[in-house]
Amino acid sequence: KQWYQRRVAITAGIEDMSESQVNQASDYPPGLHNLGNTCYMAATLQCLKTVPELTEKLKQSSGQFTRQSMVGSEGICAAMKQLYTEMDKTSESVTPLVMLKVLHMTFPRFAERGEGGVFQQQDANECWTEIMRMMSEYLPGEGSTNTETVRKSYIEQYFGGENVTTMKCSETEAEPETKSIEKWTQLRCHINTDVRYMQVG
C-alpha cells in the first residue's frame, strides 16, 4: 500500500511538470524539433548521442564551418559538434536547423520536396549510413601506432567488427581450409514474417 501511494504521488507530480522539468527529473536528453519529415535525422542523431565516447570525440575535433567545409565530412562533424554542445546546455527541445542545412547540402537527395513543398519522407538507415561514413572519413582513430593493429577510423574502432568464415571440405582432409574476413560497422536485423523481433533476428 505504501509503494502504491508513493507511485501515485510520483505520477501525479510528473503530470504537473513541463516537458523541460520532466527531462530534468528523468535525466532524459532533450528532444529535437521536427522541421518537416525530419524524424529520420532526429532518430539517427539522438541514437548516436547516447555513445559518450563519440560525443566527446566530436567535441574534441577541430571541425568548423567555413565556406569550403560546409559540405562534406568536416561540415557534418562540425554540425554534430555544435548540435550536441547545444543539447548538453539545455533540457528544452532543440531546433537542428544548421544540422539539417549541412545534411541537405552534403546529400541533396535528403532535401527533395513533395507536394506542397514539404520535405519528403526519408529512410533513417540511409541517414545513419551516410553520417557514419562522413564521421569515418573525418575522425581519426586512437591508440597504438602499430600499423598492424591500429584502425585508421575512430568509427571503425568503436562501431566496427569482423565476421570470420572458415570453409573446409568435409569429403577430404587433403584440401586446406579457407578463411574469409568481412568487416562491418552496422549489424543488420531484417524483420520479416519469420523474424518479427530484433532479439530473434
Side-chain angles (χ1 to χ4, degrees):
K1 183 177 179 181
Q2 290 179 347
W3 177 88
Y4 175 76
Q5 290 175 338
R6 183 171 180 270
R7 179 71 178 271
V8 170
I10 292 175
T11 304
I14 290 178
E15 289 177 350
D16 296 331
M17 292 180 181
S18 65
E19 179 185 348
S20 175
Q21 291 172 327
V22 171
N23 289 341
Q24 287 180 329
S26 307
D27 197 27
Y28 290 153
L32 297 176
H33 287 296
N34 194 322
L35 300 175
N37 287 333
T38 58
C39 51
Y40 69 95
M41 182 189 73
T44 300
L45 294 170
Q46 287 178 307
C47 181
L48 289 170
K49 195 181 183 306
T50 64
V51 184
E53 295 85 356
L54 176 61
T55 56
E56 188 61 29
K57 184 69 173 180
L58 285 167
K59 290 178 181 179
Q60 294 173 358
S61 68
S62 58
Q64 55 185 345
F65 295 115
T66 64
R67 183 171 297 180
Q68 291 75 26
S69 68
M70 280 291 286
V71 178
S73 58
E74 184 175 358
I76 291 290
C77 289
M80 293 177 69
K81 173 182 177 180
Q82 182 190 73
L83 178 63
Y84 288 164
T85 300
E86 185 178 355
M87 292 173 71
D88 286 340
K89 293 179 179 179
T90 182
S91 56
E92 301 282 353
S93 295
V94 176
T95 302
L97 193 59
V98 174
M99 183 71 223
L100 182 64
K101 182 177 181 180
V102 174
L103 183 72
H104 285 175
M105 291 174 65
T106 305
F107 305 106
R109 71 176 182 276
F110 290 130
E112 294 177 353
R113 296 177 182 268
E115 295 182 6
V118 179
F119 291 125
Q120 292 185 350
Q121 294 275 0
Q122 301 291 343
D123 184 69
N125 185 65
E126 289 184 14
C127 182
W128 170 282
T129 300
E130 296 294 9
I131 288 179
M132 291 287 281
R133 183 168 64 86
M134 292 292 97
M135 290 193 296
S136 181
E137 290 179 4
Y138 188 73
L139 299 177
E142 295 181 339
S144 172
T145 56
N146 187 329
T147 55
E148 294 182 0
T149 58
V150 72
R151 296 176 185 266
K152 294 182 179 180
S153 166
Y154 186 84
I155 296 303
E156 193 174 7
Q157 283 182 327
Y158 279 87
F159 292 86
E162 295 179 348
N163 287 338
V164 180
T165 303
T166 303
M167 303 288 291
K168 183 172 178 58
C169 180
S170 59
E171 297 178 355
T172 175
E173 293 292 330
E175 187 173 333
E177 64 182 23
T178 59
K179 289 186 178 181
S180 62
I181 299 177
E182 178 187 4
K183 295 183 179 182
W184 48 264
T185 55
Q186 183 184 67
L187 283 175
R188 299 179 182 273
C189 178
H190 299 283
I191 304 297
N192 53 36
T193 54
D194 297 321
V195 181
R196 298 185 179 182
Y197 304 98
M198 189 167 63
Q199 58 266 36
V200 177

